Amino acid sequence: MELTALEQEILSYALNTAEARASFRQRFLRKGGILEALFAQLRTLPETERRTMGARLQNLRTLAQQRLSEAEATTPTPTSSQSLPADPTFPHKIFQPGARHPLSLVEKRVVRIFQRLGYTLAEGPEIEDDWHNFSALNFEPDHPARDMQDTFFIDPERQILLRTHTSTVQVRVMERQKPPIRILAPGRVYRHETISARAHVYFHQIEGLWVDEGVSAAHLKATLSYFVAAFFGEGTPMRWRASYFPFTEMSAEVDIGCLICGGKGCPVCKHTGWVEVLGCGMVDPNVLSACGIDSERYTGLAFGLGVERLAQLLYQIPDLRLFSQNNYLFLQAFQGYEHAF
Ligand code: DAH
């Protein structure tokens, strides 16, 4: 009687979902299921009954197994759909290469240009003292850059600070090396500014220094004109402006015709059509002497390039903050990008 009901249940059990098949399997085919419990009771029966009951239970078990394998064969499962034949028109998985940061691209481009002129690389620390950042560079004791308003001091008492320019490397190189000197020093610098589209608390410069007998302003002008043509292309509008730096005598700045607005006027060029990209000059004899170099015998030229400015013009980037925000979409634009150096 009980077995007939069980047979009915096995035959009518709905097996169209994976969960239903799992509970069916548990009820009829697994340890702890009803059939197993009935098999266990066989031992308590007299010999003859045990035989017939045993055979009937075995039939039920076979029936349950059959129903389950039929149900599994007719219901598609995730495994069976994965084994569909491969589709040869399916697009290949796209390999995404990394991207160089635009400031790295610009630095590399500048370094390559000056290497062709015989410049080698030098570097110095970002944490500096007053001597290398100011005093050896001929800054007056009350120069405004020495103020906490403009410079980040790490230890105001000992005048330890974050360098405000890469001109510090000029001093470090001249202190340990005698002319001829021809070096290029890329690096990060820090200033106490309010962050905006045009200013940041850190940015990057590339310092250049050439000290030897007979280095003149003509060399300076030729070197930087060559650089601008190599970096931006022949015929790029460029102008020289007289300027002032404590560590150079004469001093000048170079502006490039704004490549973002084509000279019409925009926020990057402050509506003047020109963007300043570098400061330069002839090394002040006081600086040579402070570094132990005979200023009667040697002269030097120096320049400091603003890397962000060069990158803004080369790639038409309107806002400085993009360089430091790690914005994936911005960085992705430089994917696979390399200059023909
Ligand atoms: N150190 C200057 C600055 O940060 C840039 C500069 C000007 C560097 C003239 C030089 C130079 O080497 O000769 O504004």
Side-chain angles (χ1 to χ4, degrees):
M1 180 62 214
E2 197 187 359
L3 294 194
T4 322
L6 266 185
E7 186 177 3
Q8 272 313 310
E9 190 183 341
I10 291 170
L11 287 171
S12 58
Y13 211 106
L15 292 176
N16 45 359
T17 67
E19 296 84 67
R21 291 193 291 277
S23 47
F24 180 88
R25 191 180 290 111
Q26 182 55 52
R27 180 158 167 73
F28 298 111
L29 297 169
R30 286 270 157 83
K31 271 214 166 77
I34 179 125
L35 279 184
E36 202 223 31
L38 293 172
F39 270 112
Q41 284 173 16
L42 284 178
R43 267 179 281 120
T44 63
L45 298 177
E47 170 83 45
T48 44
E49 260 182 74
R50 198 192 303 163
R51 286 228 177 145
T52 42
M53 274 299 274
R56 290 185 66 191
L57 286 177
Q58 189 52 51
N59 285 342
L60 284 181
R61 179 141 72 187
T62 312
L63 182 67
Q65 271 162 351
Q66 271 172 359
R67 276 228 60 206
L68 195 63
S69 36
E70 272 168 28
E72 274 169 355
T74 52
T75 325
T77 61
T79 1
S80 62
S81 68
Q82 267 167 13
S83 59
L84 283 173
D87 174 359
T89 66
F90 199 76
H92 191 267
K93 189 174 174 202
I94 292 161
F95 173 64
Q96 295 227 344
R100 281 190 200 283
H101 193 281
L103 296 178
S104 305
L105 287 167
V106 165
E107 180 184 309
K108 196 167 167 191
R109 186 172 167 93
V110 172
V111 168
R112 292 283 169 93
I113 292 169
F114 282 101
Q115 277 175 338
R116 298 206 288 264
L117 299 176
Y119 285 75
T120 54
L121 290 178
E123 61 179 0
E126 291 179 16
I127 297 174
E128 268 293 9
D129 51 26
D130 174 90
W131 171 254
H132 292 94
N133 200 80
F134 295 126
S135 294
L137 289 164
N138 208 29
F139 279 77
E140 295 295 325
D142 57 355
H143 192 284
R146 292 176 181 250
D147 201 305
M148 306 260 288
Q149 298 295 315
D150 293 308
T151 300
F152 289 116
F153 283 88
I154 287 179
D155 181 343
E157 242 152 63
R158 291 167 54 227
Q159 302 280 293
I160 305 295
L161 46 86
L162 293 176
R163 67 178 177 192
T164 60
H165 52 183
T166 46
S167 301
T168 53
V169 187
Q170 290 190 32
V171 179
R172 291 200 169 265
V173 169
M174 286 193 282
E175 279 176 340
R176 59 167 191 254
Q177 200 180 317
K178 294 306 146 210
I181 292 169
R182 206 187 279 163
I183 56 101
L184 203 63
R188 182 173 284 184
V189 302
Y190 301 82
R191 286 188 200 171
H192 203 304
E193 303 263 4
T194 305
I195 296 175
S196 71
R198 299 184 43 85
H200 209 290
V201 290
Y202 67 79
F203 52 98
H204 301 80
Q205 293 185 333
I206 301 179
E207 193 79 11
L209 175 71
W210 177 13
V211 182
D212 204 349
E213 286 178 21
V215 174
S216 71
H219 291 119
L220 179 68
K221 197 167 179 199
T223 302
L224 294 174
S225 303
Y226 171 78
F227 164 74
V228 169
F231 187 88
F232 288 110
E234 230 41 81
T236 303
M238 162 186 195
R239 73 177 185 190
W240 298 78
R241 270 186 300 109
S243 185
Y244 171 79
F245 301 103
F247 39 93
T248 45
E249 180 57 44
M250 58 72 122
S251 307
E253 282 170 290
V254 169
D255 298 340
I256 299 295
C258 183
L259 300 169
I260 294 182
C261 62
K264 282 197 229 86
C266 68
V268 172
C269 63
K270 290 192 258 175
H271 302 281
T272 63
W274 294 93
V275 181
E276 180 209 319
V277 295
L278 66 90
C280 65
M282 298 306 295
V283 181
D284 192 302
N286 289 343
V287 176
L288 295 174
S289 308
C291 301
I293 288 178
D294 181 355
S295 61
E296 298 285 321
R297 182 173 170 197
Y298 294 107
T299 49
L301 64 78
F303 53 88
L305 307 168
V307 180
E308 277 78 357
R309 291 286 174 78
L310 294 174
Q312 282 195 286
L313 291 177
L314 191 66
Y315 303 125
Q316 323 235 321
I317 296 165
D319 191 325
L320 264 186
R321 288 168 291 198
L322 282 163
F323 291 124
S324 50
Q325 279 167 337
N326 265 344
N327 178 328
Y328 179 70
L329 288 177
F330 173 70
L331 296 173
Q332 202 185 29
F334 298 90
Q335 220 164 47
Y337 198 98
E338 275 294 343
H339 294 289
F341 290 108

